[in-house]
Amino acid sequence: MDCSRSLSKTVITPLSLLLSSFCLFANFAAAFNFSTITFDQGYTPLFSDFNIIRSDDDKTVSLLLNRYSGSGFISSEYYNYGLFSAKIKLPSNYSAGIVVAFYTSNVDVFEKSHDELDFEFLGNIRGKPWRFQTNLYGNGSTSRGREERYSLWFDPTKQFHRYTILWTSKSIIFYVDEVPIREVIRNPAMGSDYPSKPMSLYATIWDASTWATSGGKYKVNYNFQPFVSEFTDLVLEGCTVDPIQQIPAAAAPCDRDTDALEADDINTISAEGRKAMSWFRERYMYYSYCYDLMRYPVPPPECVIVPSERHLFKDTGRLKEALKIKFGRHQKHRRRGSRRGRRDAGGAATTSF
């Protein structure tokens, strides 16, 4: 089936959106060929070991949230640029108030000037889809959050899907199942806002009842505990370094590893990949800081204003109500205007709308 030809002729209906999405994203199903590692080869428990379950072959790890605690793990090393990836399955029962995070950070070393790259999955009430956001901070620039929020074209609780963060000195790309969903190209005007210090990879699950679902209206319901998020096919690539002295931990210089990352096919988005990224962003993104003129009258320097995206959003960066109906979107929850940063033990910094 010629996806590009069929998409160009599609009349927009909920069914056609589903079929076209499947057609487009299926092209990328086997695009990546990563070398995976066991948990012990690259990670260590971060908190609440009693809520971390490792498979017999050590290739899959489950993080549990119950009324006693959430849980999390962290990479054993810091990386000076790298590729961080895992296949993740999210909790399938009632998930309001839950946040599952897969992110890089160095906040434990640079408390007031940390860098961070986030995938944050925001639970929801039964019958409503999981939502998620990507974000980045550089040099402690938490007052200049760069959030984008999305829904997905699949149910992330039914089976594993791959989520990938590629971070080089030139760009940052977030992938979902080999589909690039967001690209940030380093702009000199960003200055220290571009993440540039060595970071670890984190994965956590925690109780964010105060903000995660409808601004805190819906809390975690522990009648449905435990809430389990599974991680498998773990990938860590890049140069390991001492985070303070920033000296390579291995004998080979970092330049070789970072050059290899920047030369890899994953670092270049093909024409087909850009088509898939545009399709995703125009159909599944429901908030972007680049279009939020209330927060940023002048968009931050890395923002690329795309006309086909821009007309979908109000000046608040939120999706226009009429277009939710036109494109078959069903985010009926309210996104409140106040911003409240939250951090659980081991959890990523977040901003709620």
Side-chain angles (χ1 to χ4, degrees), residues 218-242:
Y218 300 101
K219 317 292 186 183
V220 174
N221 185 341
Y222 287 104
N223 289 327
F224 296 96
Q225 70 173 1
F227 303 96
V228 182
S229 185
E230 299 175 78
F231 298 76
T232 193
D233 283 4
L234 306 168
V235 178
L236 286 174
E237 295 184 9
C239 183
T240 58
V241 299
D242 180 295

Side-chain angles (χ1 to χ4, degrees), residues 262-333:
E262 292 176 2
D264 195 283
D265 288 345
I266 190 177
N267 195 49
T268 301
I269 301 177
S270 66
E272 291 78 9
R274 293 206 174 275
K275 185 182 297 182
M277 183 165 66
S278 294
W279 176 254
F280 172 83
R281 294 173 65 81
E282 292 172 18
R283 296 296 185 272
Y284 296 99
M285 184 167 68
Y286 65 89
Y287 173 81
S288 173
Y289 75 104
C290 285
Y291 303 123
D292 190 343
L293 300 182
M294 306 300 290
R295 290 175 69 192
Y296 302 113
V298 177
E302 74 280 0
C303 285
V304 177
I305 305 303
V306 181
S308 60
E309 293 178 6
R310 178 68 188 92
H311 84 280
L312 301 174
F313 296 91
K314 298 180 287 188
D315 286 347
T316 58
R318 295 163 176 79
L319 197 68
K320 293 177 180 177
E321 294 296 324
L323 290 167
K324 290 182 187 178
I325 298 172
K326 178 179 178 182
F327 292 111
R329 305 201 192 187
H330 300 289
Q331 290 88 15
K332 295 181 180 178
H333 54 278

Side-chain angles (χ1 to χ4, degrees), residues 7 42 102 176 212 260 305 308:
L7 285 176
F102 182 75
V176 175
I305 305 303
S308 60

Side-chain angles (χ1 to χ4, degrees), residues 145-162:
R146 292 166 158 86
E147 305 93 345
E148 289 187 345
R149 286 192 171 191
Y150 329 84
S151 56
L152 288 161
W153 66 93
F154 54 81
D155 183 345
T157 73
K158 297 298 185 185
Q159 57 188 2
F160 286 97
H161 291 269
R162 180 169 292 285

Side-chain angles (χ1 to χ4, degrees), residues 4-58:
S4 60
R5 182 175 300 172
S6 64
L7 285 176
S8 67
K9 297 180 179 180
T10 296
V11 176
I12 297 175
T13 66
L15 178 59
S16 68
L17 283 173
L18 178 63
L19 294 176
S20 297
S21 298
F22 176 79
C23 177
L24 184 60
F25 297 136
N27 287 339
F28 300 88
F32 291 169
N33 184 22
F34 294 145
S35 296
T36 62
I37 59 175
T38 64
F39 182 86
D40 194 54
Q41 286 176 319
Y43 301 94
T44 186
L46 176 64
F47 66 102
S48 300
D49 297 29
F50 58 86
N51 270 349
I52 300 175
I53 300 174
R54 294 158 62 173
S55 64
D56 291 341
D57 62 7
D58 208 33

Side-chain angles (χ1 to χ4, degrees), residues 162-178:
R162 180 169 292 285
Y163 304 89
T164 302
I165 301 170
L166 175 65
W167 169 49
T168 74
S169 63
K170 298 177 181 177
S171 66
I172 298 160
I173 305 176
F174 294 87
Y175 284 90
V176 175
D177 279 350
E178 294 76 44

Side-chain angles (χ1 to χ4, degrees), residues 108-227:
D108 54 338
V109 177
F110 305 101
E111 183 177 355
K112 296 182 179 180
S113 60
H114 84 284
D115 306 296
E116 189 167 309
L117 299 170
D118 300 325
F119 270 111
E120 290 180 307
F121 303 94
L122 312 175
N124 217 330
I125 60 176
R126 178 167 288 173
K128 300 294 184 180
W130 273 82
R131 301 160 297 135
F132 76 105
Q133 69 178 19
T134 60
N135 205 348
L136 68 94
Y137 303 105
N139 204 36
S141 59
T142 54
S143 63
R144 298 186 293 281
R146 292 166 158 86
E147 305 93 345
E148 289 187 345
R149 286 192 171 191
Y150 329 84
S151 56
L152 288 161
W153 66 93
F154 54 81
D155 183 345
T157 73
K158 297 298 185 185
Q159 57 188 2
F160 286 97
H161 291 269
R162 180 169 292 285
Y163 304 89
T164 302
I165 301 170
L166 175 65
W167 169 49
T168 74
S169 63
K170 298 177 181 177
S171 66
I172 298 160
I173 305 176
F174 294 87
Y175 284 90
V176 175
D177 279 350
E178 294 76 44
V179 176
I181 64 165
R182 181 179 183 184
E183 179 185 35
V184 178
I185 297 176
R186 189 172 193 170
N187 185 315
M190 292 182 72
S192 61
D193 276 8
Y194 189 86
S196 58
K197 298 187 293 295
M199 292 192 279
S200 298
L201 186 282
Y202 293 76
T204 59
I205 184 171
W206 50 289
D207 184 330
S209 290
T210 56
W211 67 269
T213 306
S214 298
K217 179 179 179 181
Y218 300 101
K219 317 292 186 183
V220 174
N221 185 341
Y222 287 104
N223 289 327
F224 296 96
Q225 70 173 1
F227 303 96

